């Protein structure tokens, strides 16, 4: 859908979606207030990419997932604007910054990849295709989370180990023992589309489906959906992101506990890539911006309790993707999900600004 059509759709939906879409109060601020939000978000994204650029020899593979998401998302945004003849409508300074940040994300990804190959050879051999250029160029219409019948309670206990989801990704990439791409097994499909998960186990399900689609496994996806009596890939997106939104709202209501901020940003990033705009509002954006270390550009966690002198060591989490602490307490995974969320905010802020121009 062209962005001009998105604007018309947003106009039609504005009464129903105002609480989730608007980044400015309906009564009032001038359109430049939305551009202020855009500038602040681009500033923050630039700081995060600058951190990855400085530390590209030391970051882990998961950090480069983030730079590839930024590159891909901005590329899709620019293509949408161009296809809808809206590039000239958006302020030139904003277009220029988007282009510069897209290119910076690309350059960082390319520069870091040889170091990742050398520093994480086994991990790279297993899921290295996840940082290929263009993998995350998901192009979904802007939409609201539907209200499916099944919203399950949040379970604080993770249902999935990171190694399990990585093994299912290896099936897609053909890096497992059989060497065939898109070789989706019954076990992995059932594990990665099961209802009832919470936390990182749930976001990993969305992540898996996004990668399977973009890696070219659409026929295999449809075959599995049919074999398991599931209605559609769109329905799986709807159900999972509705439950992720329910969980994100709970995190917000509880005051954004520090141990849930990483997950909160991952939720916005992954569902935002599928077009769900309900994860984006000014209050949540202000929180995400406030968690960034403005001097170093990264995202840290005051509760990180590892011993001094272990900054370059890799730490494994039971459920979320790998975390790595580098200089000054900067966390790779936390910064990568922040950058991935911020780049989705760029898209939705621009959509709001275009709506204001109608």
């Amino acid at each position: 859908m062209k962005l001009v059509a998105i604007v018309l759709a947003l106009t039609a939906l504005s009464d129903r979606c105002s609480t989730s879409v608007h980044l400015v109060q309906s009564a009032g601020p001038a359109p430049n207030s939305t551009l202020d939000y855009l500038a602040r978000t681009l500033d923050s994204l630039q700081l995060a990419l600058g951190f990855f650029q400085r530390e590209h020899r030391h970051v882990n593979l998961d950090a480069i997932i983030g730079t590839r998401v930024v590159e891909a998302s901005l590329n899709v945004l620019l293509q949408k604007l161009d296809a809808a003849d809206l590039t000239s409508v958006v302020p030139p300074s904003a277009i220029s910054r988007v282009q510069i940040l897209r290119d910076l994300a690309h350059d960082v990804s390319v520069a870091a990849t040889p170091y990742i190959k050398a520093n994480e050879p086994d991990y790279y051999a297993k899921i290295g295709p996840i940082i290929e250029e263009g993998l995350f160029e998901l192009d979904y219409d802007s939409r609201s989370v539907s209200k499916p019948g099944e919203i399950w309670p949040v379970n604080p206990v993770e249902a999935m180990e990171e190694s399990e989801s990585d093994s299912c990704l290896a099936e897609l990439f053909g890096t497992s023992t059989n060497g065939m791409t898109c070789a989706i097994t019954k076990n992995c499909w059932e594990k990665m589309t099961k209802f009832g998960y919470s936390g990182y186990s749930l976001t990993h399900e969305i992540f898996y489906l996004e990668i399977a689609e973009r890696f070219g496994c659409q026929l295999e996806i449809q075959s599995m959906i049919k074999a398991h009596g599931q209605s559609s890939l769109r329905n799986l997106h709807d159900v999972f992101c509705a439950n992720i939104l329910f969980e994100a709202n709970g995190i917000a209501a509880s005051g954004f506990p520090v141990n849930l901020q990483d997950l909160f940003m991952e939720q916005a990033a992954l569902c935002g890539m599928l077009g769900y705009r309900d994860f984006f509002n000014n209050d949540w954006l202000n929180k995400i911006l406030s968690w960034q270390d403005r001097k170093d550009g990264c995202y840290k966690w005051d509760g990180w309790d590892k011993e001094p002198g272990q900054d370059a060591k890799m730490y494994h989490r039971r459920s979320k993707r790998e975390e790595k602490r580098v200089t000054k307490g900067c966390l790779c995974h936390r910064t990568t999900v922040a950058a991935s969320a911020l780049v989705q905010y760029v898209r939705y802020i621009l959509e709001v600004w275009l709506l204001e121009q109608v």
Side-chain angles (χ1 to χ4, degrees):
M1 178 189 284
K2 292 184 177 181
L3 275 184
V4 66
I6 291 174
V7 170
L8 293 174
L10 284 171
T11 303
L13 289 168
S14 60
D15 289 340
R16 289 193 287 137
C17 304
S18 59
T19 58
S20 61
V21 177
H22 289 178
L23 291 171
V24 294
Q25 296 177 358
S26 57
N32 282 341
S33 294
T34 301
L35 293 182
D36 287 341
Y37 274 107
L38 179 62
R40 290 174 58 202
T41 304
L42 291 171
D43 287 346
S44 186
L45 188 56
Q46 184 171 351
L47 288 172
L49 291 176
F51 159 72
F52 285 133
Q53 183 181 42
R54 294 191 303 275
E55 298 292 337
H56 72 273
R57 295 176 178 84
H58 311 295
V59 298
N60 61 0
L61 183 146
D62 282 36
I64 304 308
I65 292 175
T67 58
R68 285 301 194 190
V69 167
V70 171
E71 175 190 356
S73 298
L74 293 180
N75 205 38
V76 169
L77 174 60
L78 289 167
Q79 290 169 0
K80 281 180 173 290
L81 289 169
D82 185 61
D85 295 324
L86 289 171
T87 303
S88 60
V89 176
V90 178
S93 59
I95 293 293
S96 177
R97 291 200 70 186
V98 167
Q99 292 170 334
I100 288 170
L101 292 180
R102 177 201 56 188
D103 294 343
L104 175 57
H106 171 81
D107 292 346
V108 173
S109 302
V110 171
T113 297
Y115 294 95
I116 291 167
K117 288 181 181 179
N119 297 333
E120 303 178 76
D122 294 338
Y123 195 42
Y124 183 84
K126 186 173 185 178
I127 66 165
I130 204 171
I131 57 172
E132 287 183 357
E133 183 176 355
L135 181 64
F136 296 104
E137 288 187 0
L138 291 151
D139 186 0
Y140 275 84
D141 301 346
S142 181
R143 50 181 166 165
S144 274
V145 170
S146 62
K147 305 299 181 184
E150 188 164 5
I151 296 290
W152 49 78
V154 174
N155 187 342
V157 179
E158 294 287 350
M160 189 189 309
E161 298 273 354
E162 180 190 338
S163 59
E164 294 177 277
S165 61
D166 283 350
S167 293
C168 290
L169 290 176
E171 286 184 355
L172 302 178
F173 298 145
T175 55
S176 55
T177 54
N178 59 34
M180 296 175 57
T181 59
C182 299
I184 302 175
T185 62
K186 179 176 181 290
N187 178 63
C188 270
W189 182 260
E190 291 176 353
K191 181 184 303 177
M192 302 308 296
T193 61
K194 184 177 177 62
F195 287 6
Y197 292 168
S198 300
Y200 292 105
S201 299
L202 179 54
T203 57
H204 284 186
E205 290 182 299
I206 281 290
F207 194 51
Y208 172 85
L209 292 175
E210 290 173 343
I211 293 169
E213 176 188 352
R214 284 292 301 153
F215 199 68
C217 305
Q218 291 92 337
L219 291 177
E220 292 79 5
I221 291 172
Q222 294 306 317
S223 177
M224 283 291 173
I225 286 173
K226 183 177 180 180
H228 288 79
Q230 298 161 326
S231 58
S232 65
L233 180 60
R234 170 65 179 260
N235 179 255
L236 290 174
H237 290 167
D238 284 344
V239 172
F240 290 150
C241 281
N243 279 277
I244 290 171
L245 181 61
F246 176 75
E247 192 168 351
N249 280 319
I251 293 172
S254 63
F256 303 95
V258 66
N259 62 313
L260 295 178
Q261 291 170 6
D262 181 286
L263 174 62
F264 177 79
M265 293 185 287
E266 183 169 305
Q267 292 168 334
L270 295 177
C271 288
M273 289 163 64
L274 294 175
Y276 294 109
R277 58 180 175 261
D278 310 70
F279 292 81
F280 303 91
N281 61 69
N282 54 347
D283 291 337
W284 290 7
L285 175 59
N286 285 330
K287 287 293 184 182
I288 293 172
L289 295 176
S290 74
W291 299 332
Q292 185 177 33
D293 186 293
R294 305 296 293 182
K295 180 179 179 181
D296 295 317
C298 65
Y299 282 69
K300 303 176 181 180
W301 179 31
D302 292 338
W304 188 266
D305 58 355
K306 301 304 176 184
E307 295 178 2
Q310 300 295 312
D311 283 352
K313 184 178 179 181
M314 187 80 69
Y315 296 103
H316 295 268
R317 293 293 191 232
R318 178 182 181 275
S319 52
K320 79 173 184 180
R321 300 209 55 80
E322 290 184 348
E323 184 60 275
K324 183 178 182 180
R325 181 181 179 183
V326 291
T327 58
K328 301 180 181 178
C330 292
L331 300 179
C332 284
H333 185 270
R334 194 161 193 252
T335 306
T336 207
V337 294
S340 299
L342 289 169
V343 75
Q344 308 313 317
Y345 266 100
V346 171
R347 169 197 173 163
Y348 293 104
I349 292 170
L350 274 175
E351 286 188 5
V352 171
W353 186 82
L354 288 167
L355 175 59
E356 292 172 344
Q357 311 314 301
V358 174

